[in-house]
Amino acid sequence: MRLVYQELNFSMEIKKGMTTSLVLENPAVFESFLINLYRQLSKEKSCFILYDEENEKDLSRNCALITTPLDLNYEKKEIQKNLFAELEEIIVEKELINDLGEAHGKILEIFDTIRFISSYEIEYKEDFDISYLLKNYNIHIGSPKGTFAEKLIEYINNLKNLLGKDLFFVINCDAYLKREDYFYIEQCAAYNDICILFVRDEQIELIKAKKEYIIDEDLCEIQ
């Protein structure tokens, strides 16, 4: 894939199955890059163009942004929506819908008894709706556990499988990683055939990326 950052007139190749490093040494440029990326993923601005061969891809659809451990959660509506759709398919495919229907019928019988006993005119939803059940039982993906690297890998795996994300921006998260963690993150990229782009404000000498781009303080590109 190729990522174009129009604000700097800068283009970089990012290969699937690998990790790539981008170092932006100028603080203002680093800040602007992050803000512009966030706004584009929120569909507020367009400073980046992503190509897969010659085909332009929707950055907000295909990419995820991780800036702190707090980003490694599944609370986004897009994730919950796709999770419910996948679970509904499983329920139908495995013929579990009849079991759910029977359980729903028994619950309605209990509600009828409660309504008869109660002093109030109680109303409730009687229609059988799988999405409604999943939502009201608060079914969701549990938060990732373990070290930052373990949580990051689990998060990447799930977003790849659930949403089809294939480019992950990991911004200045090296403080949470040990040297050996990068090997497992590279394995994650190779296994899922995705791109993981580490964006940093300074080069880390001990971590030698297979492909690294550096934009120095004077905005000169070094490869």
Side-chain angles (χ1 to χ4, degrees), residues 170-183:
V170 182
I171 313 289
N172 255 16
C173 289
D174 299 287
Y176 314 117
L177 296 168
K178 296 184 292 186
R179 186 172 183 178
E180 57 267 28
D181 290 334
Y182 294 93
F183 170 75

Side-chain angles (χ1 to χ4, degrees), residues 186-207:
E186 288 172 1
Q187 283 190 322
C188 172
Y191 178 80
N192 288 292
D193 194 32
I194 58 169
C195 305
I196 300 177
L197 177 59
F198 287 97
V199 183
R200 306 176 169 106
D201 60 353
E202 62 181 4
Q203 188 179 27
I204 300 179
E205 292 296 337
L206 294 176
I207 308 301

